[in-house]
Structures are given as C-alpha cells and as structure tokens.
Amino acid sequence: MASPQGSRAPLEFGGPLGAAALMLLLPATMFHLLLVARSGPARLLGPPPYLPGLQVLWSPRMLLLWLTWLGLQAALYLLPARKVAEGQELKDKSRLLYPINGFQALMLTALLVGLAVSAGLPLGALPEMLLPLAFAATFTTFIFSVFLYLKALVAPASALAPGGNSGNPIYDFFLGRELNPRVWSFDFKYFCELRPGLIGWVCWAWLHGPEGGGWDECCHLCGDRLGTDCPVLPLLQPQVLINLAMLMQEAELRGSPSLAMWLVNGFQLLYVGDALWHEEAVLTTMDITHDGFGFMLAFGDLAWVPFTYSLQAQFLLHHPQPLGLPVASVICLINAVGYYIFRGANSQKNTFRKNPSDPRVADLETIPTATGRQLLVSGWWGMVRHPNYLGDLIMALAWSLPCGVSHLLPYFYLLYFTALLVHREARDEQQCLQKYGLAWHEYCRRVPYRILPYIY
Ligand code: NDP
C-alpha cells in the first residue's frame, strides 16, 4: 500500500490551488478555442460568440462515439506488435515491456476510416458534433482520472511517481500518483500518450451537412431540424472535426484545399507519423519516466491535444488565407529545420540511453554522474540543454505561419507551447539537479543555454 504520509518532492504547478485552477482553466480554454475558431472575428482574447448550455454539450451519442473510438484504439494496441521494447529501469530495478505498434495502429485507423467513409457511414452529420465530442472526452477524462487515483491508493509504494504522492488529494489527483498504472499488461499512460489523441488529431474525417443525415437530425441549439434557419448554426458550420476533416471540407467548399491547409495538414501529419514511427523514443521521455498518470496527462493526451492542436486547420477553414509559393517554400524550410533538430536530438538521447556504446553515439563526449548514468555534453545536447524543445518550437512557428498574420488565434499553439516548454524545462532541470547533483552543475557550466543558444 502507498504511504499515507506523502513524498517529500517539492510541489509543482502552484500546489493544490494551482492544480485546482488548472483543472478548471484547461477545459475552459479548450472550449473557448473551439467556439472562437469558427466565429467571424476569431478573437483569441475576446469573449466567445455564445455560451453553450448543457443541452448543447451533452450528447449520449457522442459519448458512445468517443468510447467506440477509445475501444478501437485499445483493440489496435492489443494486436501483435512488430517489437516489444523494454522501458527504463524502475525503482525496484525491474523493467516494463511495451508493444511497439503505434504506427501500425495509425495505418489501420486510416484504412478503417477510409473504408467507413467510402461505404457511406454518416460520420459527420451533426454540425454541433465538435462541442459534444470534446465534452464527452473531458467528461470521460474526469471519470478515468478518478479511477486512476483510486487504483493508485492500493498500489505498492514502489509503483508511485516521485511527484504525485504529496498526500493532498487534489494535487495528487491532478499530477498522478502511480507512475505506470497497468491492468495486466495494458499500460494506460503509454496507451494514452500517443494513440487516441494524436491519431484522432490528424485522422478523423468528418463530413458535414444536413444532407449527410443519420445520427440525430435535431439541432440541439435551437431545437429545429437541421437545415432550417437556426440562428446559431452559421457559427458552427461547416462542421468538421480534425485536420483531415478540415482539408476535406475546404475541398468541398472551395473546390480544392488551399496551399495553407495543405501545409498545416502535411506538417502535423509528419509530426504525428514521426511520433508513432519512433514510438520507442517515448519510453525515455519525462512523461513516461517521471510523471505520474493523473488528470494532467490524461486530459492533455485525450482531450487537449486532439481538440486544440487542430486549431490552425479549424481557423483556415473559416478564415482562408492566401499563400504564395515563395512564402510557402520558406515556411517549409522552417519546418524542415525544426524537424531536423527535434528528431536529431530526441533520437540521439534515446539511442544513448538505450545503449551508450552504440556506434552512433559512442564518440560523443559525456560527463559521468554518481548514479552511474552519463550525461551527453556534445552533439545536440552540447548545443543547448533542451535541443529537442528548440526543434519543437521552430515547428510550432511553421504550423502557425500559413495562417497569416491578421489574427493572433492561430498563434495560440506557439504561445501556449512556449510557456509549456519553458516551464517543463525548469521542472526537468530541477529533477536532473536532484538526480545528478554536482554533475548537473558541471553540465550547466559546460552548456550554459537552456533552449535557445545565446538567448535563453
Ligand atoms: P526529454 O526527452 O528532453 O527528457 C528529459 C530527460 O532527458 C532528462 O530528465 C534526463 O533524463 C535526460 N537528459 C537531459 N539532459 C541530458 C543529457 N545531456 N544527456 C543525456 N540525457 C539527458 O523531455 P520531454 O519528455 O519533456 O520531451 C520529449 C519530447 O516531447 C520533446 O521533443 C518535446 O519537445 C516533446 N513534447 C511535446 C509536447 C507536445 O504537446 N507536442 C509536450 C511535451 C513534450 P535521464 O537522465 O533520467 O535519462
């Protein structure tokens, strides 16, 4: 049983008060973005065009659809994997095993969605689907987090994360108590990290329109049949969900998807495909090795990522932007540079952590630490202390640029992501200082910049 006294790890995110505030603020921000992206002025900082009531948000059909989606991804997770990888060593010196079949899940999902759409499945008949679907995802995340919290109460102390065992229920519920909650070999955190949310972000193709029909043709907003003069519908239409849907919808509306829409879709598909292709690399990230699995990660993975990371595509659908080939080429170059740094840094650290004698990293300079592990001090990790964050931020910029500079809204991702990574970097520094002590001081002396050379 877990110790009731709690751990001595310093509280993060402003402690219980900060955790409670974030549990309200994050879903509220997500719904705000969903509402303003399709409104005419598309003002990030302005009020939403209207406040949806519970009758708009709550839809048992959308809940069923969401649970079906999770069930499909869980079934794909359980399919035979091309490889089974070992995780990092745990407190009790054991290592967990993880199936590496995320890319296979992405391909099979694309195939199934394509077949379903061509067979005429009325996937996108509800214009107001996006909001109730996001609500269903948020609702299930809360329930799921309660389950994770209760499960952690009976977990052995050795299974707890360093940070989510403070003894304060609000804080621990938010941060996550158990490091790797599992039922048999099904690992909840690893499953949620890269599959339902990421695949949902780029893969779901929803076609819209009253003529699609099929799910429920009554508009929850005004009570009329779809297609009648609903006063709210124009704010929501045309209704599609995630990136590919935006692209398909734009093709329907304007004859072909715009260059800007192609770029946003292409860049983000590359990002998601890459994450799943290099799925094994997630095993050495902070989310897997350090953070417990609670509301923070569950909401981030299952709701925040699919419903807010598709913001640029949602924006472009409602606010088309002209983009010439020369500017598009420069944006592609920016994305390529970001990707090169991001992939190079993540793969280098992952290869090194798996096997420091691997010929690809054996020549790199290192600092020994008292734990027996070494720190890279040349290559990407000799340039700044978080080169992978730098690459990710450069890509974030490239995802927003196709949306032009007339609105702040599509830059939300870049702003939020900068704040997230600066804060995350500080958390990681703190953890590394605790782990490596003097060796970490030496690393900071040798590599003085955190994310951006000569600036930060
Ligand atoms: P990292 O993958 O950077 O992992 C940090 C860990 O790496 C440290 O705790 C330490 O762990 C190890 N490390 C740090 N410095 C060195 C060094 N010099 N040599 C060897 N090992 C070192 O962090 P994240 O998990 O935060 O990020 C992983 C990726 O995910 C990043 O590319 C990030 O941009 C991305 N990301 C994307 C998000 C999104 O929403 N799109 C959100 C969060 C992250 P140890 O020594 O124990 O191995």
Side-chain angles (χ1 to χ4, degrees), residues 286 309 349 353 376 388-389 392 424 428 435-436:
M286 216 169 128
Y309 283 24
K349 190 209 28 166
R353 277 289 171 249
L376 287 167
N388 47 355
Y389 291 1
D392 224 339
R424 195 174 170 92
D428 193 44
K435 264 187 285 187
Y436 301 126

Side-chain angles (χ1 to χ4, degrees), residues 246-269:
M246 306 296 153
L247 185 141
M248 292 169 74
Q249 190 64 25
E250 204 184 34
E252 234 177 68
L253 278 177
R254 305 191 180 101
S256 65
S258 64
L259 184 54
M261 185 68 97
W262 276 119
L263 290 195
V264 166
N265 267 263
F267 294 161
Q268 297 185 350
L269 187 61

Side-chain angles (χ1 to χ4, degrees), residues 271-287:
Y271 190 74
V272 171
D274 172 87
L276 289 162
W277 184 258
H278 295 99
E279 191 178 18
E280 201 176 335
V282 85
L283 299 179
T284 58
T285 62
M286 216 169 128
D287 284 358

Side-chain angles (χ1 to χ4, degrees), residues 31-52 130-131 231-239 246 254 311-321 406-410:
F31 283 104
H32 173 76
L33 294 172
L34 286 175
L35 287 167
V36 293
R38 64 205 61 241
S39 71
R43 273 198 293 267
L44 175 62
L45 300 174
Y50 73 102
L51 283 180
L130 197 53
L131 283 175
V232 190
L233 217 52
L235 297 170
L236 301 174
Q237 262 188 331
Q239 184 55 259
M246 306 296 153
R254 305 191 180 101
L311 188 66
Q312 290 98 346
Q314 290 180 51
F315 171 83
L316 282 175
L317 179 64
H318 299 278
H319 308 85
Q321 302 291 320
S406 58
H407 289 76
L408 185 60
L409 185 68

Side-chain angles (χ1 to χ4, degrees), residues 271 284-287 309 342 346 349 352-353 373-376 381 385-386 388-389 392 413 416-417 420-421 424 428 432 435-436 440 443:
Y271 190 74
T284 58
T285 62
M286 216 169 128
D287 284 358
Y309 283 24
F342 166 85
N346 277 325
K349 190 209 28 166
F352 181 72
R353 277 289 171 249
R373 285 155 84 86
Q374 295 170 315
L375 289 168
L376 287 167
W381 297 81
R385 300 205 290 271
H386 270 93
N388 47 355
Y389 291 1
D392 224 339
Y413 177 69
Y416 137 82
F417 202 42
L420 179 134
L421 290 184
R424 195 174 170 92
D428 193 44
C432 287
K435 264 187 285 187
Y436 301 126
W440 188 257
Y443 179 49

